[in-house]
Amino acid sequence: MRILPAQALRVLAACGREWQDAGMNGIAGIELGGTKTVVVLGTPGAIEAREEFPTTTPDETLNRAIATVRGWQQGRTLEAVGVGSFGPIRVDRAAADFGVMLDTPKQGWAGADVAGVLEAALGLPLGLDTDVNAAALAEHRYGAAQGCANTAYITIGTGVGVGLLANGVPVHGLMHPEVGHVRLRRAAGDAFAGACPFHGDCIEGLLSGPALAARFGRHPATVEASDPAWHPVALDLAELLAMLLLAFSAQRIVVGGGVSNRQPHLLPAALDRLPGLLGGYLRDCTPAALARICVPAALGDDAGPMGALIVGADLR
Ligand code: ADP
Ligand code: ZN
């Protein structure tokens, strides 16, 4: 038997999926973010309709998502709902508290039965993963991480989260990875105490949108790219990239989320500092290779919602 090269196998696999997806009735996808919720109708790879609203209380937010999906169900049979959620949330289907929000710093959400409420109201099979694992799946299938078995997707938004695909499969394990709450070496002379209510200066406490607002004393959107205030932030991101290369042997690290997508200077500034942090230890990580490995999200703000559609579709 002739062995097909990996590239050809990938193309065949992708075509097979598109034929399958073409015959699909439609999936609802819900990306629950710390600031906003995005509800989409479509099939993996094709968003047909989209609603976006602020994430407020669990009741209000989930009811709004339910009303949106029910509206679409009037004209169309949906096969499943896929949810990509901020966390921590129980993603182990076998657990008694599957789909329940755990110790989240987001006010009012700890203990919310996200999956139970959605399943009961919509009567659809429900798939659930973290927002970042969902986004990693979308970037892996359609975006910047195609062909990369070990992929990390970093979101820098309301919080900092990292989705991990090992051999193409989302990592869950004990709960799910919570890389945003790891503490890393701080930039010399950076006295900012950090903004995480649990750990102070963990990665999320240093890099998230609210952490940047606390660090700068104003909204990060108002701080010029050339302002030296960004220097320690770039170093913190570089530490995170170095850790993912070393701990997870990531072949691609996709950097997305509201902060990164709107501050495009941040990733190149982190890349400038990365070789210094690695100290020449990873021989494959030349500056040119690092720029190919650590890339902005190709799907932009659609990575999460498209990932939610994949999570729903993959239930079949
Ligand atoms: P979510 O975390 O709800 O998924 P996003 O990924 O869009 O939402 O991230 C929202 C965060 O992005 C907020 O903390 C906000 O302050 C921050 N943000 C929005 N615009 C900018 C900008 N121009 N520069 C830096 N940060 C921004
Ligand atoms: Zn923390």
Side-chain angles (χ1 to χ4, degrees):
M1 193 182 87
R2 207 163 78 85
I3 306 292
L4 285 169
Q7 179 77 30
L9 283 174
R10 273 200 300 278
V11 170
L12 284 176
C15 290
R17 250 183 327 252
E18 265 153 37
W19 292 327
Q20 267 175 27
D21 295 347
M24 234 186 239
N25 275 319
I27 306 281
I30 302 175
E31 186 198 23
L32 275 177
T35 299
K36 64 177 194 309
T37 294
V38 184
V39 188
V40 292
L41 167 70
T43 51
I47 293 177
E48 295 164 37
R50 175 191 187 103
E51 286 282 327
E52 196 172 308
F53 44 85
T55 305
T56 55
T57 61
D59 270 359
E60 189 179 30
T61 310
L62 296 177
N63 283 334
R64 213 161 156 183
I66 288 163
T68 304
V69 177
R70 278 190 179 148
W72 290 329
Q73 282 178 305
Q74 299 303 311
R76 179 133 178 211
T77 306
L78 299 185
E79 289 190 20
V81 56
V83 181
S85 178
F86 70 92
I89 185 166
R90 187 72 70 199
V91 292
D92 174 6
R93 188 161 284 279
D97 56 353
F98 168 70
V100 173
M101 195 64 78
L102 304 174
D103 304 309
T104 176
K106 184 153 174 73
Q107 276 276 311
W109 280 80
D113 184 5
V114 173
V117 167
L118 292 172
E119 253 171 348
L122 296 173
L124 291 172
L126 178 141
L128 171 70
D129 214 316
T130 61
D131 49 357
V132 279
N133 272 351
L137 281 170
E139 289 285 348
H140 181 245
R141 197 174 290 185
Y142 302 110
Q146 293 179 50
C148 297
N150 274 20
T151 288
Y153 176 92
I154 304 175
T155 183
I156 308 180
T158 313
V160 176
V162 180
L164 297 174
L165 306 186
N167 299 322
V169 179
V171 176
H172 291 162
L174 182 65
M175 183 176 72
H176 50 72
E178 277 288 339
V179 175
H181 294 277
V182 170
R183 285 197 192 87
L184 295 172
R185 185 164 50 173
R186 298 288 306 274
D190 180 12
F192 174 53
C196 173
F198 292 91
H199 319 108
D201 63 352
C202 63
I203 296 166
E204 176 168 299
L206 294 172
L207 283 178
S208 69
L212 294 180
R215 189 200 269 271
F216 298 151
R218 56 198 167 108
H219 195 285
T222 66
V223 180
E224 292 287 323
S226 57
D227 194 315
W230 286 106
H231 291 179
V233 181
L235 192 84
D236 294 337
L237 177 55
E239 288 279 2
L240 172 57
L241 297 173
M243 190 268 283
L244 289 170
L245 290 166
L246 291 161
F248 184 59
S249 201
Q251 291 155 307
R252 189 66 39 87
I253 303 176
V254 181
V255 186
V259 173
S260 335
N261 293 345
R262 279 157 202 87
Q263 297 292 336
H265 58 94
L266 196 53
L267 177 57
L271 279 167
D272 285 345
R273 291 158 171 83
L274 191 47
L277 296 184
L278 292 172
Y281 187 65
L282 298 177
R283 69 159 55 199
D284 297 327
C285 291
T286 59
L290 287 169
R292 287 192 297 273
I293 295 169
C294 307
V295 296
L299 304 174
D301 292 337
D302 280 348
M306 283 178 72
L309 291 174
I310 296 172
V311 169
D314 280 0
L315 279 175
R316 298 173 311 152

